[in-house]
Amino acid sequence: MQFLTRMLFLAFVGAAIGWFTNFVAVKMLFKPLKPIKILGIEVQGLIPKRKYEIAKSVGEIVEKELLSFNELWDKLLTEENRKFLLSNLDLKVKGVTENKFPSFLPKAIKEMISNYIGDIINREVEVFLNFPPNEVVEIISKKLKISEIVEEKIKSFKLEKLEDVVIKIAHSELYMIEIMGGVLGFLIGVLQAIVIQFL
């Protein structure tokens, strides 16, 4: 009976210590948000401290592994999207040109000029869209870097928002880390009781 009491006591103490240390470790991923000094040592949460490195890594992963510009371009250049783009471009050109012309111009002339400009723009866009895909991708990808867009977006997050995002994504995993700390602590407590009893 005494052994069982001691074992349960050590097991629950171990579980409490294991849970508490993992709870603190999870909190220290984010807290403190700003650097503070404790006993002369500067302390800051891991994610706030490494925010810029994380932003760069996430940007590179998104571009290389998840959404390259080539894949994005392939999705944009489906036949349906091309037609949609050209028809909307045509409507936009007509709307802008007709509204900008002087009011004294007859409507027929406005429409004629608007159609002429629209045809030129559509032809140029069509030529651009019909470029060999590799050339188009190379031209645009030099100016548009998905990794840089993602990186800048993450860098612009407030630390509190970044914490919220990470917690929303990994809430269950972080909770499991805390629970596993308690479980391992419990087992270590049981093992300690056995070692004390039989050694």
Side-chain angles (χ1 to χ4, degrees):
M1 187 68 183
Q2 189 180 3
F3 167 68
L4 185 61
T5 305
R6 184 191 298 125
M7 186 177 72
L8 287 173
F9 174 75
L10 289 173
F12 282 111
V13 168
I17 292 170
W19 172 82
F20 182 73
T21 52
N22 279 20
F23 173 79
V24 170
V26 166
K27 290 298 174 195
M28 285 185 70
L29 288 172
F30 310 101
K31 307 288 186 194
L33 292 174
K34 307 272 181 182
I36 59 169
K37 293 239 177 185
I38 298 174
L39 302 173
I41 300 169
E42 190 174 270
V43 177
Q44 186 180 14
L46 178 67
I47 289 174
K49 188 174 185 176
R50 304 287 182 129
K51 178 182 174 184
Y52 292 105
E53 291 172 47
I54 292 167
K56 186 174 178 57
S57 297
V58 171
E60 287 172 358
I61 289 166
V62 168
E63 185 165 339
K64 289 177 183 171
E65 307 294 335
L66 299 177
L67 182 66
S68 69
F69 186 79
N70 297 34
E71 291 170 324
L72 185 60
W73 186 253
D74 287 342
K75 296 289 182 193
L76 288 172
L77 273 190
T78 62
E79 195 57 40
E80 187 182 340
N81 286 340
R82 285 165 63 106
K83 285 177 183 172
F84 178 77
L85 175 66
L86 291 170
S87 65
N88 275 279
L89 190 60
D90 195 45
L91 288 171
K92 182 76 175 170
V93 168
K94 284 178 180 173
V96 168
T97 51
E98 285 176 12
N99 291 331
K100 296 290 179 183
F101 288 137
S103 56
F104 60 80
L105 277 177
K107 188 176 179 186
I109 292 176
K110 283 184 186 180
E111 284 179 3
M112 186 182 73
I113 296 170
S114 178
N115 287 337
Y116 178 71
I117 293 170
D119 288 344
I120 291 172
I121 291 173
N122 275 343
R123 270 200 308 274
E124 290 302 315
V125 170
E126 191 73 63
V127 167
F128 176 73
L129 293 177
N130 286 328
F131 261 109
N134 292 342
E135 287 182 33
V136 174
V137 168
E138 191 178 336
I139 292 165
I140 297 176
S141 63
K142 282 180 182 173
K143 299 188 177 188
L144 180 70
K145 295 277 186 190
I146 292 172
S147 60
E148 288 175 9
I149 295 168
V150 173
E151 183 180 340
E152 287 307 312
K153 189 73 178 170
I154 293 173
K155 282 182 182 176
S156 70
F157 278 3
K158 289 185 175 176
L159 291 173
E160 293 84 356
K161 185 176 179 183
L162 187 59
E163 181 181 354
D164 287 342
V165 168
V166 173
I167 287 172
K168 278 178 188 170
I169 292 169
H171 173 72
S172 57
E173 288 81 3
L174 295 174
Y175 180 69
M176 277 307 297
I177 289 170
E178 294 174 19
I179 296 300
M180 284 306 296
V183 170
L184 288 172
F186 184 89
L187 294 174
I188 289 168
V190 169
L191 188 60
Q192 272 183 316
I194 292 168
V195 168
I196 291 167
Q197 180 71 20
F198 296 104
L199 290 180

